[in-house]
Amino acid sequence: MKRLSEINLQKLFPSVIYRRGLEYYKQNKVSDLLYDINYQVWTATVQGSEDYFVEINMKDMDSGSVDTYCDCPAFDTFGSCKHIAATLISIANKESN
């Protein structure tokens, strides 16, 4: 299985979203990061203006696709957000350790 740590995550997001996600990661705003090996899904809680639930589905990773979800308003509008960026950065750093 491919690993997120092998991907340039910065290219997956507009620069401002990636930078905000990186700041959230550095500020330890990602918590409860768990991997369900049966469903190949990462889940996390990211502290923003409130706590947001993030889900990263890795089942299609080998074919180059990762499905993401966040329950924040930005994800509803744009389909991506800093909470997802922060979670992906957390996963990549966890994998590389």
Side-chain angles (χ1 to χ4, degrees), residues 2-7 9 25 33 42 87-97:
K2 288 183 184 174
R3 296 159 49 109
L4 282 175
S5 54
E6 298 167 1
I7 296 170
L9 296 176
Y25 167 74
L33 184 64
W42 286 94
T87 303
L88 289 172
I89 294 166
S90 296
I91 294 167
N93 282 294
K94 190 176 189 90
E95 286 179 346
S96 61
N97 287 338

Side-chain angles (χ1 to χ4, degrees), residues 36-74:
D36 183 325
I37 195 164
N38 295 316
Y39 293 100
Q40 298 178 339
V41 172
W42 286 94
T43 57
T45 301
V46 182
Q47 181 187 356
S49 51
E50 58 185 77
D51 286 352
Y52 294 109
F53 174 76
V54 175
E55 185 176 278
I56 311 292
N57 188 326
M58 306 290 286
K59 73 178 174 57
D60 296 325
M61 178 72 170
D62 286 336
S63 61
S65 176
V66 174
D67 289 327
T68 60
Y69 170 79
C70 180
D71 60 2
C72 77

Side-chain angles (χ1 to χ4, degrees), residues 69-87:
Y69 170 79
C70 180
D71 60 2
C72 77
F75 182 83
D76 260 357
T77 304
F78 304 109
S80 188
C81 64
K82 60 191 169 194
H83 311 107
I84 290 173
T87 303

Side-chain angles (χ1 to χ4, degrees), residues 15-34:
S15 60
V16 67
I17 301 297
Y18 180 82
R19 279 197 310 273
R20 289 179 182 159
L22 185 58
E23 283 303 309
Y24 271 38
Y25 167 74
K26 288 178 179 177
Q27 294 169 5
N28 294 313
K29 292 187 179 231
V30 179
S31 61
D32 305 325
L33 184 64
L34 298 170

